[in-house]
Amino acid sequence: MNKTKQIVQNSLDALMKDDTFIPELTGETRAQAFTSLASILSTPNHVHKSFLRIPLENGQVVRIPAYRVQHNNALGPYKGGIRFHETVNEDEVINLASLMTLKNALHDVPFGGGKGGLVINPRTLSEKELHLICKKYVRYFSDSLGPDKDIPAPDVGSGEREMDWMMAEYKSIRPGTPYRGSFTGKSVVNGGSLGRREATGKGVYFTFRYLFHDFLQNQKSLLTKTDNSYAKTVAEFENKPMKLAIQGFGNVGSIAALEAYQCTFLQNKVVAVSDRNVTLYNEDGLNIPSLVKYTKDNKGDLPVSAEELAVAGVKADVLNREDILYLNVDSLILAALEDQIRTDNMEKIKAPIIVEGANAPVTKDADEYLSQKGVIIIPDILANAGGVIVSYLEWLQGRETQFYSEEEVFSQLFKKMKGTLDSILPVFFGDSFTLRQNCYIQSVTRLSTVLYRQGKLY
Ligand code: NAD
């Protein structure tokens, strides 16, 4: 059983014992309802798989595996990104789709969970080839997609250019039907939302900052008067400078790094960042704006040598890519790929706080091991929901053809995330569950209630 399924099952077990949850369900009927819930939440509703036939510019014709998984739509249309990466596989897409179901439920976003994937390395393909792949993806899955059915967005390796192409293809396949809400993460000129590109990274940093500033200030007595070891860890950071390391310097990682660099609430220093090639380290703090500029000018990659660092105007030691994980820092923000902290490296982790900007970057065993050691892991479904929250705002704006200012978008984003944090954090510091378990319990409770009211638990 993978980590997601296991924690969903644990949440269901806890809920089954809670007499205040749907008290009218008793005895065998209650047991049957929970069996139904377990089967619904542990399996996707649909797994669509196709092989896209693509003629490459060199004359070769390839078949590219493409997936669209629709996990659950109890709360609204399926929603989730499309990953362009050579390691994409069916199990991974299913797991990511189920995380989307839980994430939307946790933040009360009226969407279900879906995810897509293409087994390609977009860096090795020309613009023309990528354009054709995007068009064919929409064509192959067109019956399943749509503003009220399933709404994809960008993920690793894809961005607004791909969403613009896909929406255009959707529009030409279904002339005369609403199309702006068919894809989110589009460019602003094409009906995208201001702030969507920055939303996930901003939300990741907001979650961290909210815990160590706003919540710590406002709930000091809760944090200091309890025996909860996680609460003690947070309280110890009051007014203390914090050293941060951020793995991944793409859409999520670079924005989270910029937010940390510019933060006036905490005395943060981003001492390390990394990407697919290197880790850069400076114990006095890295110049993040200069690194962001460098990556924009260099196809997203960080400088890897003394010469390139000089071009970037940044002082740093160049370390191996993996080294970022083992640094002596206060917080490690994971914003690259999944399975970064595993059984084989979990003992080397020194950071007492881990923030999951990426989806599933800590494996099940590593999660248990680190949590038992008292490490606070701010889970993916809590921390990285900024993208889907602003995707929801983009979808709304597309329906209304009324567009919000960037200020309005960020204000709504932070309000939504604050609402979730305020409902989760006091419970977390008052019980013996991890933050991830608390988030899952809240998501599963919401989904179970809706499924019950919809008459699905037979
Ligand atoms: P991205 O493609 O923009 O950036 C990925 C970054 O990770 C790049 O800097 C890349 O060089 C780096 N990287 C790749 N392999 C690496 C490795 N082995 N070690 C270290 N770094 C590596 O992707 P993104 O949009 O920033 O997404 C990052 C993560 O966040 C993914 O798990 C994604 O699912 C998740 N996420 C993204 C969004 C979003 O809105 N973009 C929303 C929610 C979750």
Side-chain angles (χ1 to χ4, degrees), residues 44-176:
N45 287 351
H46 307 286
V47 177
H48 303 287
K49 179 174 184 183
S50 288
F51 291 88
L52 314 185
R53 200 167 64 84
I54 305 292
L56 300 179
E57 294 204 72
N58 64 9
Q60 209 191 339
V61 179
V62 290
R63 282 285 209 172
I64 294 174
Y67 299 93
R68 187 69 196 165
V69 172
Q70 298 176 320
H71 179 259
N72 188 279
N73 62 350
L75 301 183
Y78 301 106
K79 182 89 192 80
I82 305 174
R83 181 167 292 194
F84 289 32
H85 199 273
E86 63 270 34
T87 62
V88 162
N89 61 75
E90 190 169 316
D91 282 347
E92 177 190 81
V93 187
I94 292 174
N95 191 41
L96 291 170
S98 63
L99 282 178
M100 287 304 296
T101 302
L102 295 162
K103 195 184 299 181
N104 289 328
L106 175 64
H107 294 272
D108 208 5
V109 174
F111 286 141
K115 201 80 184 184
L118 280 158
V119 188
I120 53 170
N121 177 353
R123 289 172 166 269
T124 62
L125 295 160
S126 70
E127 184 166 328
K128 196 171 159 198
E129 289 161 346
L130 280 170
H131 187 194
L132 185 60
I133 291 168
C134 288
K135 289 204 294 186
K136 285 226 169 171
Y137 185 93
V138 178
R139 236 178 279 161
Y140 277 49
F141 296 131
S142 72
D143 285 347
S144 319
L145 303 175
D148 289 304
K149 279 188 188 169
D150 184 352
I151 310 143
D155 193 73
V156 175
S158 57
E160 59 185 34
R161 178 183 66 169
E162 289 73 21
M163 296 305 112
D164 286 355
W165 287 337
M166 288 187 168
M167 186 199 72
E169 185 64 9
Y170 179 85
K171 184 173 176 234
S172 62
I173 292 173
R174 302 190 178 280

Side-chain angles (χ1 to χ4, degrees), residues 342-355:
R342 310 164 300 264
T343 326
D344 61 310
N345 67 358
M346 62 194 185
E347 287 172 16
K348 294 200 264 174
I349 305 297
K350 298 193 188 80
I353 298 132
I354 293 174
V355 188

Side-chain angles (χ1 to χ4, degrees), residues 440-454:
Y440 272 54
I441 289 171
Q442 177 148 319
S443 299
V444 169
T445 305
R446 189 165 278 144
L447 283 159
S448 304
T449 310
V450 168
L451 285 163
Y452 172 64
R453 302 269 170 235
Q454 290 180 359

Side-chain angles (χ1 to χ4, degrees), residues 274 277-280 318-324:
S274 75
N277 301 312
V278 278
T279 292
L280 300 178
V318 178
L319 311 179
N320 292 329
R321 177 176 87 179
E322 296 275 304
D323 291 347
I324 190 141

